């Protein structure tokens, strides 16, 4: 397996930053971890969005029903002499 190294300092001995080196396997593992984290966030946000959409639909239904009752009450009041 080949190794991809990111040397943070000058020269091949590590340099001033302590010689951080990232192999392909390390980089892939970090990408996988970040992907899983983002996927969890996406799932959480998707559930929240679905919940809000459901609440919106319920609120709209209540609004329409209350307007219908209000309209019915107004028309009844207009008929009374």
């Amino acid at each position: 397996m080949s190794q991809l190294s990111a040397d943070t300092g000058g020269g091949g001995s590590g340099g001033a930053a302590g010689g951080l080196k990232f192999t392909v396997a390390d980089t892939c593992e970090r990408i996988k971890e970040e992907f899983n984290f983002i996927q969890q966030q996406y799932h959480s946000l998707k559930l929240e969005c679905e919940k809000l959409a459901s609440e919106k639909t319920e609120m709209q239904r209540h609004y329409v029903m209350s307007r219908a009752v209000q309209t019915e009450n107004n028309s009844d009041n207009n008929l009374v002499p």
Side-chain angles (χ1 to χ4, degrees), residues 21-36:
K21 292 187 183 237
F22 302 104
T23 64
V24 171
D26 292 338
T27 303
C28 287
E29 186 61 32
R30 185 165 184 165
I31 290 170
K32 271 181 13 182
E33 289 171 0
E34 289 180 18
F35 175 79
N36 289 334

Side-chain angles (χ1 to χ4, degrees), residues 2-50:
S2 71
Q3 287 189 345
L4 176 65
S5 295
D7 196 358
T8 58
S13 64
L20 291 177
K21 292 187 183 237
F22 302 104
T23 64
V24 171
D26 292 338
T27 303
C28 287
E29 186 61 32
R30 185 165 184 165
I31 290 170
K32 271 181 13 182
E33 289 171 0
E34 289 180 18
F35 175 79
N36 289 334
F37 177 73
I38 291 169
Q39 195 172 36
Q40 288 172 353
Q41 283 183 322
Y42 166 78
H43 181 69
S44 175
L45 290 171
K46 184 179 175 186
L47 290 176
E48 181 69 19
C49 186
E50 289 170 356

